[in-house]
Amino acid sequence: MLDPRSRFCLACGYAGAVILSTVPWALMAQYLLLLVLVWVWHRGGTYLRWLHLVTPMALFFGALTWWASCSLAGGGAAALKLLSLTTTFFLFFETTAPEDLGNSLVAAGLPFAAAFVFSAALQFVPLIGRKAHRVIEAQRSRGIPMEPGGAALRHWPALLAPLLIQAFTLADELAEAMEARGFSRPSRTFYRDYRMRPADWLAVAAAAGLLPTAIWWL
Amino acid sequence: MRPQPPFIQAAKLGFTYGRGSLRPVLSDIDLQAGDDRYLLIGGASGSGKSTLCRTFNSLIPHFYNGRLTGRVLVGGMDTRTLSVGDLFDRVGMVFQNPEAQLFNSTVAREIAFGLESLGLARSEIRRRIGEAAAAVGIEDLLERFPHDLSGGEQHLTAVAAILALRPRVMILDEPFASLDPLATARLRRVLAEIGARGPTRLIVCEHRLALTAPDADRMIVLHGGRIVADGAPVAVLAGDVRPWALEQPLAAAASLRLGLRPVVLDVGDLPVGGDSRERLADLLPSPPLAGNGDVLLSVENLCAHYRQRPVLRDVSFALRRGEIAALVGANGSGKTTLARHINGLARPVAGRVLVCGRDTRRVSTSALAANVGLVFQNPDSQFFKLTVAEEIRVGPRALGIEAEDWIALLARKLGLTALMQRAPFRLSGGEKKRVAVAAALAVRPELLVFDEPTAGQDLFFRQALGDLLLGLAEEGRAVLMVTHDLGFAERCASRWLVLGNGTIAADGAPARIMADAGLLRRCGLMPTDAFRLRTRLEAASHA
């Protein structure tokens, strides 16, 4: 298993190659390779749910590019690029726990507090999403029309105010709970071993090599 | 040999939150703690229980702003000179809200976090994770995401995360607040084992004394920030605790009525004879009369899925005017999913739900709000106005209903008149709940659905809520409450709907349901103390 840092480098290298690629077959091959990885790592179900969210965004982006460039091929390539980029990082975060990335960066010298803020932020996105969902349900239940659509926009304070207050309360409570488990103690050790092995350096080199490859051949 | 000084010693302790001249939350506390196997700190909401515990692990004064007077010594050191980080492995704390204390991606990492803070070696961390998980019985959850677990499993994870630190004292703040009966029994068993095994000592803050007093070997009672009782539970509960807004455990109340000294704390230990039935009759709740009006809610062959998994299968029942029913069942049995179908938040996969004759598939949730009010467990999810009065007016305004007189009446009934110009976010938990109830009632719905209405609420609120529910039923409304609080459900509901494995496993009077031990076991329920006592009294009178 690769170190989270080398996996991150690979994800960034692959994303760079996707951005720099201009040849349609290369873009398609890149996306197909990602789909193969989704299948190999048994992430099909989660990926389909993710795709449900991302596809409208990719289609919108593609249509916008088509309109701006007057090129259908250009619009298709833009949509495919967005899909490949998001899929790359979907796979990265599906296979790497946020703490692993943060802790491995601490092992490389990043202060623990900074790494923790980064990994906690990643973890609490779904939690805040759940809270937002609960707020919308609570407001709809008492007659505020927050069903999806334009009317809901008029009632944004009914979503935003409770959500912000709950987010601040949650942040306070979490800070207290973390402090009560020694967050600010110096000399922290880690439950997992974070060490760059030869295979990791090879992966970093491969990631670096992806960029010139994309520039010259794709 | 010189006697050991107490591990925790508070002298003339007082604390006031903030910087102004606000009312102190704690006053004149003199206490020695941390040496009893299981110390119970009882007290109503706002009595100062959580604040007192936060002075033991140095969160007060280092994490909270406020004025601390007197002092707290832990292991002979003044907490003013000790940071939270200095104490966390000696005084561990499990907070009330499990969601807000789990911040890692797996249960194993959650347990590991504190051990990593201690700077332990990897092999030692692994060993302690295994030990702590085994001690609370969550070995099979180690790789799960904590926020996907049930409330009971989350609490056990939080306990394991502290237990792994091997603290001298473990504090638990209202650990049973949102647990179902089986999870409560499981956590009680775990805590009893921890206390018995040692060396970790327990301090448990809880206002539901019937759940904790039998396991404790000492209890103190806080009222208005002062200690008003301190002693063995049987001694403290031999007096009347109701003036402190605490509910006397039924076994203790019955002991007092029968003149038993010392009192007993488990109804199974009460010596009941032939005349006991008459003497104890008024301690046992009499269920309200069943409603017999026209049908307000009709659930017909309802099927529902959650994340592609069937949660409800062929559920059918009807609710009539004047009826109060309780929807009971273990965590994950589909109770909340069913409640969400009643006001159209969720749409049936098959079957249908009719509210006042309106099919929920054809009406939006916001339009259904005129017929059905849903009171959520967490009122913070809905408040967005600057005053309570404005908050209560939101529903009537959204639906175009004129309701000023009705709102004034509601405010009087719910004791909110003095709070109408206060900010809803700044109220206590019980007050927020009352505002949420008023906001749901403001549009005069004919059907009320409550999701865990008594979770974390003290005696005063429970009594007021019970009276309110009976009043609503008398007015011809129907009430459905989703609850784990079987004692409350027994007192207020004439009918229980038991959900088990996604179906209605039983539907009937509480006494008839609790008489079926096999059903209770299958559906993760336990008989209430009142039911157990009534059964014993009946057996004694027939003998």
Side-chain angles (χ1 to χ4, degrees), chain B residues 134-156:
Chain B
V136 303
I138 56 165
E139 302 99 309
D140 53 332
L141 304 178
L142 284 174
E143 291 311 313
R144 295 270 305 275
F145 180 45
H147 292 283
D148 284 344
L149 303 178
S150 70
E153 290 168 339
Q154 287 183 342
H155 259 295
L156 290 174

Side-chain angles (χ1 to χ4, degrees), chain B residues 472-493:
Chain B
L472 291 171
E474 276 169 18
E475 286 170 14
R477 296 174 211 280
V479 176
L480 179 68
M481 57 173 153
V482 176
T483 188
H484 290 315
D485 187 345
L486 299 186
F488 185 75
E490 185 185 26
R491 267 202 302 277
C492 298

Side-chain angles (χ1 to χ4, degrees), chain A residues 148-188:
Chain A
L153 291 175
R154 285 193 296 120
H155 299 285
W156 61 269
L159 167 64
L160 212 57
L163 190 60
L164 277 178
I165 288 167
Q166 287 195 68
F168 287 131
T169 309
L170 180 66
D172 267 354
E173 288 177 340
L174 278 172
E176 183 182 24
M178 283 157 49
E179 206 52 47
R181 275 198 266 152
F183 175 76
S184 53
R185 283 265 287 232
S187 317
R188 168 172 287 272

Side-chain angles (χ1 to χ4, degrees), chain B residues 40 42 219-223 226-231 236-237 241 244:
Chain B
L40 166 62
M219 79 179 273
I220 64 169
V221 177
L222 279 180
H223 183 64
R226 293 171 190 272
I227 293 177
V228 290
D230 185 350
V236 174
L237 293 172
V241 296
W244 305 321

Side-chain angles (χ1 to χ4, degrees), chain A residues 49 97 99-100 112 116 123-124 127 130-131 134-135 137-145 147 157-158 161-162 165-166 170 172-183 185 187-194, chain B residues 54 59 63-64 84-85 88 95 97 99-101 103-105 108-110 113-114 116-120 122 126 129 147-148 161 340 343 345 364-366 369 376 378 380-384 391 394-395 398 425 439:
Chain A
R49 282 197 292 278
E99 302 102 315
D100 276 335
F112 177 65
F116 189 85
Q123 274 186 76
F124 282 94
L127 199 61
R130 263 188 236 184
K131 282 193 180 289
R134 277 184 221 156
V135 171
E137 290 201 336
Q139 305 302 32
R140 285 171 63 197
S141 298
R142 57 190 193 140
I144 303 175
E147 283 80 10
I165 288 167
Q166 287 195 68
L170 180 66
D172 267 354
E173 288 177 340
L174 278 172
E176 183 182 24
M178 283 157 49
E179 206 52 47
R181 275 198 266 152
F183 175 76
R185 283 265 287 232
S187 317
R188 168 172 287 272
T189 51
F190 291 115
Y191 159 54
R192 296 262 161 89
D193 185 17
Y194 302 105
Chain B
R54 281 167 170 80
L59 279 168
F63 195 83
Y64 285 89
V84 184
F88 84 99
F95 296 89
N97 178 4
E99 188 179 76
Q101 60 187 309
F103 45 87
N104 289 278
S105 62
R109 286 170 184 276
E110 206 60 65
F113 189 89
E116 292 174 337
S117 302
L118 285 175
L120 297 181
R122 244 187 305 280
R126 286 216 178 84
I129 290 173
H147 292 283
D148 284 344
R340 291 175 71 249
N343 75 338
L345 282 172
S364 70
T365 299
S366 47
F376 284 83
N378 177 9
D380 286 330
S381 294
Q382 64 180 62
F383 296 153
F384 69 106
E391 198 61 58
V394 166
F425 323 106

Side-chain angles (χ1 to χ4, degrees), chain B residues 116-304:
Chain B
E116 292 174 337
S117 302
L118 285 175
L120 297 181
R122 244 187 305 280
S123 55
E124 177 66 7
I125 292 176
R126 286 216 178 84
R127 202 164 60 80
R128 290 211 200 177
I129 290 173
E131 275 177 17
V136 303
I138 56 165
E139 302 99 309
D140 53 332
L141 304 178
L142 284 174
E143 291 311 313
R144 295 270 305 275
F145 180 45
H147 292 283
D148 284 344
L149 303 178
S150 70
E153 290 168 339
Q154 287 183 342
H155 259 295
L156 290 174
T157 302
V159 169
I162 297 302
L163 194 62
L165 300 169
R166 297 179 183 164
R168 165 77 186 263
V169 172
M170 176 155 65
I171 301 167
L172 296 104
D173 192 1
E174 302 219 5
F176 305 109
S178 54
L179 301 189
D180 67 19
L182 272 192
T184 298
R186 183 177 174 188
L187 184 57
R188 273 185 74 174
R189 220 169 27 245
V190 166
L191 294 182
E193 279 166 18
I194 292 170
R197 196 174 49 235
T200 297
R201 309 293 184 174
L202 299 171
I203 296 179
V204 178
C205 298
E206 184 62 62
H207 60 82
R208 290 196 289 169
L209 304 182
L211 287 179
T212 40
D215 301 330
D217 46 19
R218 178 184 167 200
M219 79 179 273
I220 64 169
V221 177
L222 279 180
H223 183 64
R226 293 171 190 272
I227 293 177
V228 290
D230 185 350
V234 288
V236 174
L237 293 172
D240 191 0
V241 296
R242 285 171 303 177
W244 305 321
L246 290 170
E247 193 165 357
Q248 195 98 23
L250 181 61
S255 303
L256 294 175
R257 183 66 62 83
L258 296 172
L260 290 178
R261 288 293 186 281
V263 296
V264 300
L265 299 177
D266 188 309
V267 290
D269 298 332
L270 276 172
V272 288
D275 67 333
S276 305
R277 196 171 178 178
E278 288 73 37
R279 294 169 72 186
L280 301 178
D282 66 313
L283 289 179
L284 299 173
S286 42
L289 293 175
N292 54 6
D294 47 323
V295 172
L296 283 180
L297 168 70
S298 175
V299 178
E300 300 170 5
N301 307 108
L302 174 67
C303 296

